[in-house]
């Protein structure tokens, strides 16, 4: 009986495994489905952009090889909204690249992997003169995200961060050189040949861009693992006094009080809400506007709120930690803003419980 | 026997692909903002939750002189579950109730939520971890409804 069950089970498992193997081998990844699932929320179903940059620009698609698109999906852009898609297989990424190619009927750029050698010093000079106003003095790229709150739709792309590890891994010297020589029609990126630069000058700029790989700026690492998720302070005061203290501290920090209400307002029946947890909503709309420009998805932790909780006569003041939340966004600019917000939150909690 | 089962499960799980937990749940709806907002609130209620508040961020920004497209935050929860968590795991209170940020991008609408499962890292009670997993599933289902 035991042997029979084992053999039977073995056959079932074998059949299941073989069936799955065959289905995996036969069914090619569906590029459209994968794009919709992984890319469309940021880049739009038709590649017109949103939180992410527009992909459907013919000038963009004809100036980048498949390899660049593949590596961009695989490595992402550290600290620049675009995450690395480590969990996708090579075949799945290839299917997405093929689907993205379909956004425009232009051939992919034919670029070689050969490196370009030039005069880095002259490249730095030319970079400062021609490139820095859009791409930043140190290649840090344009501000904000794609073409939404932070980016008017009449400016179709944000200047990429040229010092970014992901960009430098994805873009070959030849691709950068070709982009400099031809520009990208429909974007602010102009042909440097038409601007009067020689091919030698362009080689020098490519060499300068490549040097960002060796600079400290390109090795920014984000490590929020040690960040506590919640900021908490014990209050020596009763709940009502603490609530008033939080409001006064928020106003002193240049915030406007929006609302003060029981934590379960709207969830519990009217009049039956707990009086042991009170939420204070407050906002500095100027700050909110600037943070939305960095990343429009921050609504899940903004505008600000602090909760005052009483348990067995002891009062605590607590809030989310913006720095902890910013780790969800892969956005270095947002990290900086959230650092400041965390400091402000801590001050408010401390002021309220002094 | 056990070894066989283990081998079989390993083969099947390898073929099914790596598990991946997104920290940020994002969906784009092809509906305009008013349609998506209506569908969102309807789906939240259909999933057994109560919409406790809608924060109109865009109104506040506009009144303060800033240009913005439509932007709202929808707060919602199930009273019994929120109550269970606020006593069992008080440090989760700042993250409650559930929130979805919804904003217009041209003629389409974006929906964003933090994946509740990420809070499981500071939860000791397995029942609460189960609730967080269910919330993740419900959020995905709600987003699919709006999509």
């Amino acid at each position: 009986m035991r042997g029979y069950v084992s053999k039977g089970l073995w056959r079932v498992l074998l059949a299941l495994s073989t069936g799955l193997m065959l289905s995996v081998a036969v069914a090619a990844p569906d590029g459209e489905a994968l794009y919709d699932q992984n890319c469309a929320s940021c880049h739009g179903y038709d590649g017109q952009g949103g939180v992410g940059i527009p992909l459907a620009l013919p000038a963009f698609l004809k100036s980048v090889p498949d390899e660049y698109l593949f590596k961009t999906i695989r490595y992402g852009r550290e600290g620049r909204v675009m995450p690395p898609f480590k969990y996708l297989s090579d075949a799945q990424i290839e299917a997405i690249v093929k689907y993205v190619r379909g956004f425009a009927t232009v051939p992919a750029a034919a670029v070689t992997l050969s490196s370009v050698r030039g005069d880095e010093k002259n490249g730095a000079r030319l970079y400062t003169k021609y490139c820095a106003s859009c791409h930043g003095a140190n290649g840090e790229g344009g501000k904000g995200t794609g073409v939404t709150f932070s980016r008017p739709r009449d400016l179709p792309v944000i200047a990429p961060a040229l010092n970014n590890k992901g960009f430098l891994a994805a873009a070959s010297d030849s691709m950068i050189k070709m982009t400099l020589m031809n520009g990208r029609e429909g974007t602010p990126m102009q042909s440097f040949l038409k601007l009067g630069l020689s091919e030698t000058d362009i080689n020098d700029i490519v060499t300068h861009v490549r040097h960002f790989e060796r600079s400290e700026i390109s090795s920014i690492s984000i490590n929020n693992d040690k960040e506590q998720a919640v900021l908490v302070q014990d209050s020596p005061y009763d709940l009502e006094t603490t609530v008033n203290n939080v409001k006064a501290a928020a106003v002193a920090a240049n915030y406007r009080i929006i609302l003060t209400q029981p934590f379960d307002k709207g969830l519990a029946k009217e009049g039956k809400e707990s009086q042991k947890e009170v939420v204070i909503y407050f906002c500095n709309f100027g700050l909110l506007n600037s943070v939305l420009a960095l990343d429009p998805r921050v609504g899940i932790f903004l505008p600000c709120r602090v909760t005052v909780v009483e348990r067995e006569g002891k009062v605590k003041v607590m809030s989310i930690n913006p720095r902890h939340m910013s780790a969800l966004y892969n956005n270095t600019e947002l990290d900086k803003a959230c650092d400041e917000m965390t400091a402000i939150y801590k001050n408010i909690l401390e002021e309220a419980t002094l | 026997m056990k070894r066989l089962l283990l081998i079989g499960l390993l083969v099947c799980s390898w073929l099914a692909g790596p598990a991946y937990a997104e920290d940020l749940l994002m969906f784009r709806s092809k509906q305009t903002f008013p349609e998506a907002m209506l569908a969102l609130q309807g789906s939240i209620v259909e999933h057994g939750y109560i919409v406790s508040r809608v924060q109109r961020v865009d109104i506040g920004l506009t009144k303060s002189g800033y240009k913005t497209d439509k932007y709202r935050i929808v707060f919602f929860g199930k009273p019994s579950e929120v109550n269970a968590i606020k006593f069992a795991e008080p440090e989760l209170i700042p993250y409650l109730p559930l929130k979805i940020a919804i904003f217009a991008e041209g003629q389409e609408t974006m929906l964003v939520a933090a994946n509740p499962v990420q809070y499981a890292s500071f939860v000791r009670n397995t029942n609460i971890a189960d609730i967080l997993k269910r919330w993740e599933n419900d959020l995905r289902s709600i987003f699919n409804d709006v999509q």
Side-chain angles (χ1 to χ4, degrees), chain A residues 165-321:
Chain A
K165 275 181 180 176
F167 171 79
L168 290 166
S172 66
D173 287 358
S174 307
M175 189 198 111
I176 299 169
K177 178 176 176 177
M178 202 172 77
T179 304
L180 283 160
M181 288 175 77
N182 301 331
R184 280 188 186 157
E185 199 180 330
T187 80
M189 182 71 194
Q190 298 181 55
S191 160
F192 278 46
L193 285 179
K194 288 181 183 170
L195 285 175
L197 271 69
S198 67
E199 191 172 342
T200 307
D201 287 336
I202 288 171
N203 285 344
D204 295 347
I205 296 175
V206 174
T207 305
H208 177 66
V209 169
R210 187 56 66 190
H211 109 284
F212 287 135
E213 268 173 351
R214 304 191 303 275
S215 69
E216 286 182 15
I217 299 151
S218 65
S219 59
I220 296 165
S221 63
I222 303 163
N223 183 4
N224 284 353
D225 294 345
K226 291 178 184 173
E227 278 296 328
Q228 54 189 12
V230 180
L231 304 175
V232 188
Q233 284 281 342
D234 292 323
S235 173
Y237 307 106
D238 61 36
L239 185 132
E240 189 182 344
T241 306
T242 309
V243 167
N244 288 332
N245 287 352
V246 169
K247 288 157 83 169
V251 170
N254 212 18
Y255 284 83
R256 192 187 302 172
I257 305 300
I258 305 295
L259 187 68
T260 305
Q261 66 175 31
F263 169 78
D264 53 2
K265 174 85 175 170
L267 291 175
K269 285 182 182 169
E270 202 169 340
K272 299 284 183 189
E273 297 95 347
S274 168
Q275 302 304 310
K276 302 288 186 186
E277 303 103 16
V278 176
V279 186
I280 302 117
Y281 294 87
F282 52 96
C283 188
N284 175 326
F285 285 101
L287 179 66
L288 175 63
N289 188 59
S290 62
V291 177
L292 281 170
L294 296 178
D295 198 315
R297 302 168 297 169
V298 295
I300 56 175
F301 69 96
L302 284 176
C304 308
R305 65 177 206 163
V306 164
T307 308
V308 182
V309 178
E310 184 188 319
R311 293 280 183 272
E312 297 168 352
K314 291 180 179 172
V315 176
K316 285 182 186 292
V317 190
M318 52 178 75
S319 75
I320 58 109
N321 181 351

Side-chain angles (χ1 to χ4, degrees), chain A residues 5-6 9-10 13 16-17 20-21 24 40-45 49-51 87 148-149 153 229-230 256 258-259 261 263-267 274 277 281 285-286 288-289 292 296-303 305 307 309 311 318-321 324-325 328-329, chain B residues 1 4-5 8-9 11-12 15 18 20 23-24 26-30 50-53 55 57 60-61 64 66-69 71 73 75-79 82-83 86-87 90-91 93-97 99 101 103-106 108 110 112-114 118 122 147:
Chain A
V5 172
S6 295
L9 185 65
W10 176 245
L13 287 172
L16 189 61
S17 302
L20 282 169
M21 278 182 200
V24 167
S41 58
C42 286
H43 295 285
Y45 287 104
V51 174
Y87 62 93
T148 176
F149 288 84
R153 286 186 178 270
V230 180
R256 192 187 302 172
I258 305 295
L259 187 68
Q261 66 175 31
F263 169 78
D264 53 2
K265 174 85 175 170
L267 291 175
S274 168
E277 303 103 16
Y281 294 87
F285 285 101
L288 175 63
N289 188 59
L292 281 170
R297 302 168 297 169
V298 295
I300 56 175
F301 69 96
L302 284 176
R305 65 177 206 163
T307 308
V309 178
R311 293 280 183 272
M318 52 178 75
S319 75
I320 58 109
N321 181 351
H324 176 82
M325 292 302 287
L328 307 184
Y329 294 85
Chain B
M1 174 75 173
L4 262 179
L5 258 175
L9 286 171
V11 169
C12 292
L15 287 167
Y20 179 68
D23 289 333
L24 205 58
M26 287 196 296
F27 285 82
R28 177 180 292 270
S29 169
K30 290 179 181 174
I50 294 173
V51 175
S52 60
R53 184 167 176 244
Q55 191 160 8
V57 178
L61 283 167
S64 298
Y66 298 102
K67 195 179 170 187
T68 176
D69 211 329
Y71 200 121
I73 299 160
F75 294 78
F76 61 100
K78 290 180 182 176
V82 172
N83 269 330
K86 81 179 184 186
F87 288 109
E91 62 268 44
I93 289 175
Y95 290 93
L96 298 176
K99 289 184 281 293
F103 57 92
E105 267 200 352
E108 297 182 340
M110 281 283 290
V112 185
Q118 70 185 289
F122 45 97
Q147 210 171 11

